[in-house]
Every structure is written in structure tokens, then in C-alpha cells.
Amino acid sequence: MMQRLVRAAVILPMLTACASWFDGSTGFQPTPLQAVQSKAALKVQWQTSVPAAQGGLFTPFYEQGLLWVAGASGEVSAVNVLTGNKARQFNFKQKLTSGVAIADKLIFAGNDQGQLLAANLETGKIVWQQSLTSLLAEPPQIGGNVVVTRSNDGRVTAFDVASGRQLWTEWQALPALTVRQTTPQLKVEGDDVLMVGGAAGKLSVYALEKGRLLWTAVVASPRGASELERVTDVASQPVFDGRRVCAVAYQGRIACFDARGGEQVWARDLASSRGLSMDAKGVYATADDGSVWAFDPDTGRNLWKQDGLRYRNVTAPVKLGNNLLTVDGEGYAHLLSPVDGQIVGRSQLKVEGTIARPLVLGNVAYVLDANGTLSALTL
């Protein structure tokens, strides 16, 4: 097993028989990097310090030219995406468990008391707050006039942005063991659809405003005799290309489904908790051993596999320009060709700790580490 697990929303100590390349424990050594004859330049445009995460998912939120990055202490910095300069500061003056979201001049976050807070972005005044059934597991998601949360106990709840009125809630019973997240599981598409990666290999799609379940599907079914072997959570965000919804499960499979009815189009064995991305030519995923895979989006045929980054604590691949970008645990950013998976460019960042999935805006990728270093990479 290669991932830290959670029992009843409490982090378990690592089992001595299980190596975790996510946490740098004993087991597999990172694959040594081979020299790259760069075919594509990868430059660090700027780096800046933002509030440190100190655990939890504190992924940046983009709004009107600014990246809003929160820290566990309650501080929030707004960084200009072009220059890296700090344009705004905000402080909830409460401890937070995940990153923020912004809509209608309100900033949303979850505190360590299990509450969803909505504060006026200009004055700092708390406009409304709602008690959740447990701590917020990931940053809120915004779609239209709805803010959606997912708690550590597996409950998904939607609130009206302006008033805080609860619109709907859904709860999925969690198995004895679940994967500790390194990336969000909720994904809003447009202003009307919510995709949810869930425990026990489930993928669900909801009408956002009313919470009506449109369809649910099984990405991977639990297998094995022990609780550890049967963990198959969809522990990352599903992706959507207009026709298909694709997701990947820890210790399970990668699968694509028809977006309208949820019928499975194809599935292949692949274990991942890091996530995936897709475009018209491929579905790309980082496996839990750090290898990067590409599949044909129509048939699921394996197009290529890149083994040169195994056991290097690799993020999910994201599209940057005409290439794929992934960042490893030592701070090396790698550019991969989407055609054959070859590494065509590399740059080293001054980063430490767990690195969140890069956020791509236009031709710039933004990389945040656990200690509060935000970097902008460009081609």
C-alpha cells in the first residue's frame, strides 16, 4: 500500500508493512532523473510566499486576475497572477481546515469548529455561518448562486451563496478505511452540474441547484480480503470533456462514462489517488507508483506509459500549452509530450513538502507547496 489512510476521519499511523512514497517513508527509492535534451523551455516566471497550509487542502482560488491562497492560521493572500505581487490581504482570525472560494464579494472557508463561514471581502465581517456535520475536507466549490461543501464524514451539502440557506444535502456512508486526500474530490461544471468522486469507488453526478442525482456509477469495486486491500476511493476530481466523465480510483481502475446517462464507455486497471486530466487526444493520469499513463479517450487503449518518474511523489499531469506538466516531490517540474510521454523539458523549483496539483490559467501554471511557496511556470 502506498498511501496514508483515514479511519472514521481520523488519520491512522502508517503500518510498518506499508511503504508510503507520499510521506517519504521506507520502501521504494525515487527513480533517478535522466538527463533531458530540452525541446521545450520551462521557465520560473516568479515565486512568492503565501500563508502555509500545515495540513489540509489549501488549493488556490482564481478570481479576476488574483489567486487567493489561505493558510491554516486564517490568513489569506491575494496574489497578482502576472507579477506575483500581493494585491490584497484578508484574515478570518480563526483557524481554517482548507482553502477558500469567492463569489458575490463574499469569501467562504471552513473553520476548525466545523463551520462554513461567509465573510464580506471588503469589511471582513461574517455575513453568515452554517454548522457542518464535521470539518470541511476540501475548499468549497462555487456554481452560480450555490456554494457546495464536502465534510470529512462524506456529507456533501449545498448552500445559497447570499443567505447561507441550506439547499440540499447528501451523505454517503464511509467504509472503515478511506484514502487521505491530496486533491479535491468535488468538481462543479458550469453553473448547473456537480461531479463527486466518492468512497468505495463511486462517482456521482448531481443537478447543482436542487441536488437531484442525475446518475451514479462504479469506477472500481472493492477487492481483496482485508480492509486495506478493499480501499478503492475515487480520491480526486472527475474530469469532463463535453461527452464523457472520467475518474480514477485508488487501488482500482480508470474509467470513462457517457455524460448523459452514466453508461460505462471503457475502463482499465490503474491505481491512482493523484488524479487525471484529459483533452481530445488523451486521458492522462499519474498512478500511485508515480508512473504517468495516457489512454485513448474513445476506446481506453493505452497510448504510452512514462516510468521515469516512479516513486518521486508526482502530481497529476495537467495540460500546459501543447505539453503535459507534472511536478515531483523534490521540486522538479517536468514537461511531457502528450504524443509519446517523453520528457521534453525540466526546471527545478525551490519548493518543499507536498505539492498540490498545478493550476493552469492560459499558458501559465501555478504550483503551491505545503510550506506556502507559490510559483508561476511558463513556457
Side-chain angles (χ1 to χ4, degrees), residues 30-31 33 312-313 327-332 348-351 353 355:
T31 301
L33 295 178
R312 297 192 61 83
N313 195 4
V327 183
D328 70 27
E330 295 181 350
Y332 287 96
Q348 186 172 19
L349 307 175
K350 295 179 180 179
V351 297
I355 299 170

Side-chain angles (χ1 to χ4, degrees), residues 193-315:
V193 173
L194 173 69
M195 303 184 299
V196 181
K202 292 184 179 178
L203 167 65
S204 301
V205 179
Y206 296 90
L208 181 58
E209 187 172 347
K210 301 295 183 181
R212 180 170 60 91
L213 180 64
L214 300 178
W215 54 265
T216 188
V218 176
V219 178
S221 299
R223 295 178 292 182
S226 70
E227 289 181 356
L228 214 55
E229 292 173 318
R230 293 176 62 81
V231 177
T232 53
D233 299 357
V234 179
S236 58
Q237 289 179 321
V239 295
F240 171 64
D241 71 349
R243 293 188 299 148
R244 290 164 292 245
V245 177
C246 300
V248 65
Y250 174 74
Q251 294 190 142
R253 300 188 304 172
I254 183 171
C256 287
F257 305 87
D258 177 75
R260 289 187 174 272
E263 295 83 6
Q264 181 179 293
V265 179
W266 58 263
R268 297 290 181 268
D269 287 341
L270 183 75
S272 175
S273 58
R274 281 301 169 111
L276 70 168
S277 61
M278 68 186 303
D279 60 20
K281 296 183 179 180
V283 180
Y284 313 99
T286 298
D288 277 336
D289 67 355
S291 58
V292 184
W293 297 65
F295 300 90
D296 183 278
D298 294 315
T299 67
R301 179 174 62 89
N302 180 220
L303 301 177
W304 51 259
K305 178 187 178 187
Q306 171 57 257
D307 281 323
L309 304 177
R310 295 182 74 196
Y311 312 118
R312 297 192 61 83
N313 195 4
V314 183
T315 67

